[in-house]
Amino acid sequence: MPPVVTVIVPGYNVAEWAADALESLRAQTLTDWVAVLVDDASTDATGAIFDRAAAEDARFEVVHHSEQAGLGAARNTGLDRVRTPFVAFLDADDRMTPTALERLVTTLDGSGSDFALGAYVRLRPDTAGGYTAGHVQPWVSAATDPARTGTTLEHHPDASGNIVAWSKVSRTDFWRRAGLRFPVGKAYEDQIVAQQMYTRARAFDVVPDVVVEWRERADGSSITQHKGELPVMRDYVEALAGGIEVLDAAGHPRAVASRVRLILAMDLPPLVELAHQHPDPAYRRDLGGFARRLAARADGAVLGEPAATALAAASLW
């Protein structure tokens, strides 16, 4: 049978985990997939691991960037090579659960929606030197549970809290029809693209199944573990604000309100904690400006802790 879905797998210096990610693809219950492995000019063995996988399994295609271009550019490279009806993403340090592709593709086949999203869990270092998957967090459940087909942001505004590329399977023609591409040269490039997907789709589906285990690297090298660096924080809050702007422009006030509440509750407190210790006052100044803009959009929402204390502190910077 011809392949039905292409999985785009970007990787930069992820040799320690790449084989695990590729094995999770080989273990899929839906077997008629292909994968584009994009080595973003790695300086470790990532490219060799990708090449070996392609030599052993014809479903893998490898592209090597001659210079590092970033995650967004690597995903765009993969998008240019998609020839299947559906497209998905998997970062090369994460793992896809065995039924993920089958569950999401089958849902879309039945509904006719433009894309489907599922739940995800953190894959954290354990005391045995390996990694253990955690539980589905409340904000993830809010976006994906219960199952829905043919829904929209108007009916399900909390879906806007699922902002990662790798929790979704989409129709390829949707990406082309909607003109979707990942921003290049920015961290947290998923955020704006996710909101563009929600606002431009005719309909989308959600499933409560865990489709990806998202690795928290033991060596602390993931970009999500570097929010204490001023340029990373700036990219982060720019992406958060940009996502809200997309929802605003498309006329989805309930989704905006849901997104603002979630950012205040989940994103702001750890940033404020980092800011208290940061040697550069620009970190606090930039974060304070963002916090005040969020507060102005909160519409009198009652915040629990630590969100209320974090917002009060950041609003003074």
Side-chain angles (χ1 to χ4, degrees), residues 175-237:
W175 277 76
R176 293 169 180 162
R177 186 177 74 247
L180 296 170
R181 302 285 284 182
F182 287 96
V184 175
K186 293 286 186 180
Y188 303 98
E189 65 294 314
D190 309 46
Q191 300 251 1
I192 291 176
V193 173
Q195 306 307 349
Q196 290 172 336
M197 291 176 71
Y198 293 121
T199 57
R200 297 178 188 180
R202 294 168 295 195
F204 58 87
D205 304 334
V206 304
V207 300
D209 310 51
V210 173
V211 296
V212 168
E213 296 171 340
W214 174 30
R215 192 182 305 271
E216 181 179 287
R217 301 181 190 175
D219 66 0
S221 60
S222 171
I223 190 66
T224 59
Q225 295 168 282
H226 285 259
K227 293 171 187 170
E229 299 172 15
L230 181 58
V232 175
M233 185 275 284
R234 284 174 168 163
D235 276 0
Y236 186 39
V237 300

Side-chain angles (χ1 to χ4, degrees), residues 4-9 19-35 57 59-60 87-91 94-106 119 166-169 207 209-213:
V4 299
V5 58
T6 300
V7 183
I8 297 169
V9 186
D20 206 16
L22 302 186
E23 185 55 37
S24 77
L25 285 177
R26 294 189 188 96
Q28 289 298 299
T29 55
L30 185 152
T31 58
D32 45 348
W33 53 265
V34 291
D57 189 332
R59 294 176 294 182
F60 291 115
V87 60
F89 299 90
L90 175 68
D91 287 355
D94 296 337
R95 297 195 306 219
M96 191 173 282
T97 59
T99 61
L101 291 179
E102 180 180 10
R103 182 71 168 98
L104 294 171
V105 169
T106 300
W166 34 257
S167 65
K168 303 172 178 72
V169 168
V207 300
D209 310 51
V210 173
V211 296
V212 168
E213 296 171 340

